[in-house]
Amino acid sequence: MCSLEKRGRVYILTLSGEGDHRFNPSTIDNIAAALKEVQDSPDAGALVTTNEGRYFSNGLDIQWISQNPDAHLSTIRIKFENLLASFMRLGVPTIAAIRGHAAAGGFILALAHDYRFMKGDRSVLYMSELDHGMKLPRSLMAVVRSKLLPAASRDVVLGAGKFSAQTALEGRIVDSVYADSAQTLEAAISEAQKLASRGWKKSIYSELRLGVFPGVVEELDAHRDPYLFPASAKL
Amino acid sequence: MCSLQKRDGVFILTLSGEGEHRFNPPLIDFILSALAHVNQNAHLASALITTNDGKFFSNGLDLQWLSEFSSSRENRSQILVFKFGQLLTALMELKLPSIAAVCGHASAGGFFLALAHDYRFMRKDRGFLYMSEVDVGIVIPPSGMSIVRSKVDSRYLTEIVLGGRKYTAPMAFKAGLVDSVHDNSAKTLEAAIDAAVKMGQKNWNKEVYLQLRLSLFSEPMEKLRLGTKEGSPLLSRL
């Protein structure tokens, strides 16, 4: 699940436990509730999203989906798109403190944050869809395109590249890299505190973010293109 | 004109001969049928590499062709722009990953041809990438602008498009316009074949690859399709 902690004006959302933090309706609802708490909090100034264990997140819960593929796929893509839209609409700056592997939906969640700080070792960013024979709906592609440079988006999506922190930094997929888990989180919280101290108005920050990345929430809200599991998908 | 061969499970399209490989309807039609052949046989190959003989990858549209029969110049420019749009569309809709092995100058339409490929490898000792339109006095249609914006780091857009800056291979590599640079033509092509073979080993589903490409570049695809459907804006001054 996830836990929410407040330190001064900074909220810290932790994808907790040792697993790979996959997204199913109940984990998504958990995260969404935490976001709502941040949004409603009058003195919230910034959000840091991080993880325990070896994984930031490996994306959608394939096991849960395969229990009832058609129905579950349909449910989860709407919930996941809504979650991403909530992050994009949040009235405070967001930093993903990536302290483990982030693949597929987990990578996309990190991209939906304003900033990405990453642990230097034993963390890989990987858009696995091409290797698994899966397409990306245009909603999720919109998030990817909005946050990556052209060469990086090509390498991420069409190359299915596995990015260490250093190569992610070089490709400007992440903003900064730190020696270990503790330093990554510390740096994220410190930056979050700086951002919070600017005293920005929530409605303004949210509007500005939507303006910088036009079309993204519109695509997320539209829920077009099913998140397909073609028969030939290797999962 | 151009030739298509297959080597090590890789299709190689060569803009052949010593000239500037400028695009006119006959050459474009040649290339389009080569690309159609590649698509029909996509299951037998891992990638397409486009390369060139001689000193030029391509210097773009054949402006001379426009003035061959001056009475129908307006008509001819519409046709040429339309057909070039068809060429870029066909490349973006290719059922295989694509690499441009740029072994000579690539200007204007030639630069666009290179950009329409997934990857660009370039020869380091000769040739530059050059968006010459501003110098020649030609407008770039919305579809072209969209391709540039989707493939080029925005830091360099002004100097490339508005500044007509010439990028040597090392400069192009630094700006992320090309993915790697090599000592000479042979090594550039070899590296491209190597990369193509490696991609083939990943056993990607080609339909998925194409859908991902079309989705990643949905904005230029939309503009390209508009251009080839409704007819393209005229080349100014010509």
Side-chain angles (χ1 to χ4, degrees):
Chain A
M1 287 290 168
C2 73
S3 64
L4 190 65
E5 183 199 331
K6 191 162 182 273
R7 280 191 219 176
R9 299 192 56 200
V10 174
Y11 276 90
I12 302 162
L13 169 68
T14 304
L15 303 170
S16 43
E18 292 301 312
D20 62 351
H21 309 129
R22 292 218 179 224
F23 306 126
N24 56 46
S26 70
T27 58
I28 290 178
D29 283 347
N30 227 237
I31 299 169
L35 284 186
K36 184 160 192 308
E37 192 179 322
V38 174
Q39 183 64 29
D40 292 345
S41 154
D43 70 335
L47 171 70
V48 172
T49 303
T50 193
N51 62 282
E52 287 173 348
R54 289 183 7 220
Y55 295 89
F56 183 75
S57 167
N58 266 350
L60 299 188
D61 187 343
I62 306 293
Q63 239 179 4
W64 178 81
I65 293 169
S66 59
Q67 288 163 18
N68 188 351
D70 288 334
H72 284 195
L73 249 183
S74 168
T75 303
I76 196 111
R77 53 80 53 95
I78 291 178
K79 289 189 91 65
F80 187 56
E81 285 166 342
N82 288 343
L83 181 67
L84 294 173
S86 297
F87 271 97
M88 295 290 292
R89 288 190 161 104
L90 198 67
V92 300
T94 56
I95 305 177
I98 305 164
R99 305 189 295 161
H101 306 298
F107 189 170
I108 297 172
L109 183 74
L111 288 173
H113 287 66
D114 298 330
Y115 306 91
R116 279 157 291 291
F117 287 17
M118 189 166 171
K119 178 174 82 143
D121 68 329
R122 287 179 298 152
S123 299
V124 161
L125 302 178
Y126 171 41
M127 201 64 77
S128 52
E129 279 78 355
L130 177 59
D131 284 342
H132 292 139
M134 287 188 47
K135 304 176 190 186
L136 271 169
R138 72 183 92 178
S139 53
L140 303 186
M141 195 65 90
V143 176
V144 171
R145 267 207 318 263
S146 70
K147 298 302 188 94
L148 296 181
L149 291 179
S153 65
R154 189 270 319 270
D155 291 341
V156 164
V157 175
L158 292 184
K162 289 178 177 162
F163 294 83
S164 66
Q166 192 52 43
T167 50
L169 184 66
E170 283 161 20
R172 292 165 67 194
I173 300 171
V174 302
D175 299 288
S176 48
V177 169
Y178 303 89
D180 59 32
S181 238
Q183 287 185 51
T184 308
L185 182 58
E186 232 168 85
I189 292 171
S190 170
E191 181 64 20
Q193 281 163 345
K194 279 199 199 101
L195 293 167
S197 71
R198 302 291 292 272
W200 291 324
K201 208 159 165 226
K202 282 204 186 96
S203 59
I204 300 293
Y205 192 84
S206 177
E207 280 301 303
L208 286 171
R209 189 198 284 113
L210 296 180
V212 171
F213 304 111
V216 179
V217 281
E218 287 81 352
E219 285 296 347
L220 290 168
D221 289 344
H223 304 299
R224 291 187 286 188
D225 301 344
Y227 201 157
L228 291 172
F229 278 31
S232 51
K234 308 174 240 169
L235 292 165
Chain B
M1 280 281 183
C2 72
S3 67
L4 184 69
Q5 358 151 258
K6 193 147 152 283
R7 218 212 291 181
D8 297 337
V10 180
F11 277 110
I12 303 171
L13 173 70
T14 307
L15 301 166
S16 47
E18 293 299 315
E20 295 184 15
H21 311 130
R22 283 192 178 255
F23 303 115
N24 49 46
L27 174 59
I28 292 173
D29 282 338
F30 243 82
I31 301 172
L32 286 174
S33 55
L35 295 178
H37 178 88
V38 170
N39 279 337
Q40 274 155 30
N41 294 283
H43 54 289
L44 298 172
S46 59
L48 167 75
I49 298 171
T50 302
T51 192
N52 61 282
D53 288 337
K55 281 176 27 200
F56 296 89
F57 183 73
S58 166
N59 260 358
L61 300 185
D62 186 349
L63 304 180
Q64 239 179 2
W65 182 84
L66 290 178
S67 48
E68 263 163 34
F69 296 93
S70 57
S71 57
S72 60
R73 192 190 186 94
E74 190 173 292
N75 218 9
R76 287 195 152 219
S77 75
Q78 268 185 319
I79 292 169
L80 190 54
V81 171
F82 173 86
K83 287 209 75 70
F84 189 62
Q86 279 186 317
L87 177 59
L88 296 180
T89 303
L91 264 169
M92 298 286 288
E93 290 181 344
L94 196 73
K95 293 181 179 175
L96 288 176
S98 58
I99 306 176
V102 180
C103 299
H105 301 294
S107 345
F111 192 167
F112 277 107
L113 186 76
L115 284 175
H117 288 68
D118 296 329
Y119 300 90
R120 282 152 292 288
F121 289 22
M122 190 166 172
R123 168 180 178 171
K124 137 163 46 150
D125 58 334
R126 193 207 281 180
F128 40 71
L129 302 178
Y130 170 36
M131 203 56 85
S132 58
E133 283 83 349
V134 63
D135 286 338
V136 175
I138 311 179
V139 164
I140 297 172
S143 53
M145 286 298 196
S146 185
I147 291 173
V148 172
R149 278 198 311 268
S150 72
K151 299 266 190 155
V152 175
D153 185 337
S154 57
R155 281 181 293 181
Y156 302 100
L157 282 180
T158 301
E159 64 183 37
I160 291 173
V161 177
L162 295 180
R165 192 168 189 203
K166 290 176 179 166
Y167 281 73
T168 60
M171 288 165 67
F173 179 68
K174 194 150 175 269
L177 293 174
V178 303
D179 300 292
S180 59
V181 295
H182 308 272
D183 287 338
N184 55 43
S185 282
K187 292 205 170 137
T188 308
L189 183 58
E190 228 171 272
I193 293 173
D194 239 31
V197 168
K198 281 202 184 85
M199 280 195 276
Q201 287 163 356
K202 305 224 173 169
N203 261 312
W204 288 328
N205 179 314
K206 285 161 184 166
E207 202 224 308
V208 170
Y209 187 90
L210 174 58
Q211 288 310 313
L212 286 172
R213 187 203 284 125
L214 294 177
S215 182
L216 185 57
F217 299 110
S218 58
E219 207 213 275
M221 289 317 299
E222 196 186 298
K223 300 235 154 61
L224 278 170
R225 284 173 186 148
L226 266 172
T228 51
K229 213 183 340 166
E230 292 168 5
S232 323
L234 296 175
L235 297 170
S236 80
R237 173 194 174 272
L238 298 164

